[in-house]
Amino acid sequence: MEMIVGVAIPFFAVLVCGSLARYLRILDEGGVRGLNGFVYWFALPALLFWKVAQTPFAKLADPSFYAVYEGSCLISRPTVL
């Protein structure tokens, strides 16, 4: 649980900071595009890699995690007619 919170809080903090900067008109449209590219292609992948690298392998290889993940994928799978 702490791993999820450790990734989710910084992730959403970046989103909130970007939204506030645009709302307060600190960034114009070009600045938002540049910041979006930086966050999407550099900052968030680095954050996720860092968090996964710090996590012990036993937590990453937990079968219940994969069962819940795969179960949710099967439940949310769209039906094809």
Side-chain angles (χ1 to χ4, degrees), residues 4-81:
I4 294 170
V5 171
V7 171
I9 288 177
F11 178 82
F12 287 110
V14 167
L15 294 176
V16 168
C17 287
S19 297
L20 282 175
R22 182 64 178 138
Y23 179 75
L24 297 174
R25 297 184 184 169
I26 297 171
L27 292 173
D28 61 351
E29 197 64 37
V32 170
R33 249 185 261 117
L35 187 59
N36 186 36
F38 169 75
V39 168
Y40 185 76
W41 293 108
F42 181 74
L44 289 179
L47 172 70
L48 292 173
F49 179 81
W50 177 57
K51 286 295 186 179
V52 170
Q54 285 184 333
T55 304
F57 183 73
K59 281 189 175 181
L60 293 174
D62 185 15
S64 63
F65 170 76
Y66 292 106
V68 170
Y69 177 78
E70 293 298 330
S72 66
C73 289
L74 289 173
I75 291 170
S76 65
R77 181 177 156 209
T79 25
V80 179
L81 297 177

